[in-house]
Amino acid sequence: MDAQDDVYAAPRAALVAAPTERPRLPPFYVVSVTKLVLLSFATLGLYSLYWFWRHWKLHKLDRKLDIWPVPRALFSIFFAHGLNREIDQRLQRSGSRHAWSPGAWATLFVVSAISGRIISRLPDSVLPFGPGFGLIVLSLAGGTLAMVHAQRAANLASGDPAGAANARLTVANWLWLVPGGLFWLMSLASLVLLTGDA
């Protein structure tokens, strides 16, 4: 009897495909600095909520920690120092050299976030639109600058110094960028009109 006709013969082909390995997630959120800055300004700083959440979520998975990323994002002023410290410790463990000051940049983020919230709530009788707008932009720039320095360190700790894996703007990003750009244009136009009337 031919082996091909033998129903009791062992199968020649594998019946189950060999499991494929899932790609390893980075220990922190990877994003290019340019994309971070654009989204931070377009969302008036709201991007920081997503930014902190992604960092803490990936760090939780990487270290198998029992932490809640959402509250850490919502109350980022209390966890900014902790995030920078975790990023710095990861850099030290990997032996990567990166000159930055985790504590100072976290402090700048906290000060910028708090001052921005206070300024945005002041009435025009206390702080007119022109100076108030300038101070809000300054606080937004300070918070974004602090995030940029943390992001450079996080990208390096994740093995992608330029953040190339997340540099392209997606459709979802443009849904934030277009209204954000229009807001900035309208705000600048209002500022020009107000200064022209003065």
Side-chain angles (χ1 to χ4, degrees):
M1 183 166 60
D2 190 1
Q4 287 180 335
D5 298 330
D6 186 3
V7 291
Y8 300 105
R12 294 182 180 179
L15 297 177
V16 180
T20 56
E21 279 190 30
R22 292 178 64 184
R24 184 171 168 78
L25 292 171
F28 296 102
Y29 178 50
V30 171
V31 64
S32 73
V33 166
T34 303
K35 185 172 177 178
L36 185 155
V37 171
L38 285 172
L39 289 171
S40 181
F41 273 88
T43 61
L44 303 177
L46 286 176
Y47 178 68
S48 67
L49 291 171
Y50 176 79
W51 186 82
F52 272 98
W53 172 73
R54 287 288 287 157
H55 274 299
W56 283 117
K57 172 130 179 151
L58 287 168
H59 182 60
K60 173 184 179 173
L61 294 172
D62 181 64
R63 305 286 290 168
K64 297 176 176 55
L65 300 173
D66 186 22
I67 59 173
W68 293 0
V70 172
R72 287 177 181 241
L74 291 172
F75 303 103
S76 56
I77 59 172
F78 301 110
F79 295 100
H81 286 85
L83 177 62
N84 282 12
R85 198 165 38 248
E86 294 293 339
I87 293 169
D88 194 52
Q89 286 172 4
R90 178 75 182 213
L91 281 171
Q92 289 175 18
R93 284 196 304 272
S94 67
S96 300
R97 293 183 178 274
H98 183 66
W100 74 308
S101 180
W105 290 116
T107 300
L108 176 63
F109 177 84
V110 171
V111 170
S112 298
I114 292 172
S115 61
R117 286 182 190 137
I118 292 170
I119 293 163
S120 66
R121 284 166 175 71
L122 292 174
D124 286 345
S125 57
V126 176
L127 186 65
F129 175 74
F133 180 75
L135 289 172
I136 285 174
V137 170
L138 191 62
S139 64
L140 180 58
T144 303
L145 182 64
M147 288 165 62
V148 162
H149 280 272
Q151 189 60 53
R152 283 184 178 141
N155 286 347
L156 184 60
S158 301
D160 187 356
N166 188 12
R168 190 177 61 83
L169 293 170
T170 65
V171 173
N173 298 151
W174 282 107
L175 290 175
W176 286 103
L177 288 170
V178 172
L182 290 172
F183 167 82
W184 283 107
L185 283 173
M186 287 169 55
S187 299
L188 290 170
S190 301
L191 195 60
V192 168
L193 288 171
L194 284 173
T195 14
D197 292 341

